[in-house]
Amino acid sequence: VQLVESGGGSVQAGGSLRLSCATSRFTYTSTCMGWFRQAPEKEREGVAAIDSDGSRIYANSVKGRFTISKDNAKNTLNLQMNSLKPEDTAMYYCATCWCGFCTQISDYNDWGQGTQVTV
């Protein structure tokens, strides 16, 4: 499974970034996907995910600021990040899991290489 993240960069507080995760059509249609992040010396944490019924799940720290979406034409998972804060600084990863079994980070099987976000 190949997951390729892009869109990271450096931005001032209050700014916006849009992350994308490209994958194959098979992976895109047969798995559920989510975004995670890991700051230096901190554990990896969930940011947002799309459940099998299409519902969006967000970490409390990003609710109202981040929006997860899927682009069916491009087989990509996106994360629009607005009102960025210094505490959002981290390496951001997308990952896949088998729908219906995505309750914790360890359920996610395949991971991209990550894209750095610095605020």
Side-chain angles (χ1 to χ4, degrees), residues 23-82:
T23 188
S24 69
R25 184 65 180 172
F26 175 79
T27 298
Y28 183 83
T29 58
S30 63
T31 66
C32 286
M33 301 176 71
W35 284 99
F36 299 81
R37 67 186 181 186
Q38 187 166 18
E41 302 183 358
K42 291 189 176 181
E43 292 187 357
R44 189 168 297 187
E45 62 177 1
V47 176
I50 296 181
D51 208 344
S52 55
D53 62 359
S55 59
R56 274 64 168 167
I57 305 167
Y58 295 96
N60 288 334
S61 59
V62 306
K63 281 182 180 177
R65 300 187 299 121
F66 290 11
T67 301
I68 189 171
S69 64
K70 298 179 75 175
D71 187 331
N72 296 332
K74 298 181 179 180
N75 300 331
T76 60
L77 179 74
N78 300 311
L79 185 68
Q80 178 67 42
M81 306 186 295
N82 299 328

